[in-house]
Amino acid sequence: TRGLENNKFQATLWDTLGEIYRTHLKHYSAAEQAFKMAHQLDPENAARSGGSDRSAILAELTSLATP
C-alpha cells in the first residue's frame, strides 16, 4: 500500500512538472517526457485530479513535439 501511495505521489510531481513545461514554458518535448514518467508510475490516472486524462495530454504533446 505504501508503495502505491509513493507512486501516486511521484506521479503527481511528474504531472505538475509536465504542466509547467506544457502550459507555462511551452517546452512540449520536456512536458511529454514528464507525463510519460507520470504515466509509468500511475497508468490508471489515479493521481490526476480534475478528471483530465494523461493519455489525451500525451497524444496532444506528441503531435506538438514532432516537427
Side-chain angles (χ1 to χ4, degrees):
T1 308
R2 188 170 189 134
L4 289 175
E5 286 184 28
N6 189 36
N7 281 355
K8 286 168 90 174
F9 177 72
Q10 288 182 24
T12 300
L13 293 176
W14 283 109
D15 275 331
T16 303
L17 181 61
E19 286 295 342
I20 291 169
Y21 279 131
R22 179 172 77 126
T23 58
H24 299 288
L25 301 175
K26 308 296 187 215
H27 292 172
Y28 301 120
S29 180
E32 182 181 12
Q33 294 304 312
F35 282 114
K36 282 181 179 179
M37 287 296 298
H39 189 69
Q40 286 178 351
L41 292 164
D42 176 36
E44 283 94 36
N45 269 340
R48 287 290 297 170
S49 61
S52 57
D53 182 20
R54 194 180 301 113
S55 297
I57 294 170
L58 279 167
E60 172 196 332
L61 289 170
T62 300
S63 68
L64 290 172
T66 321

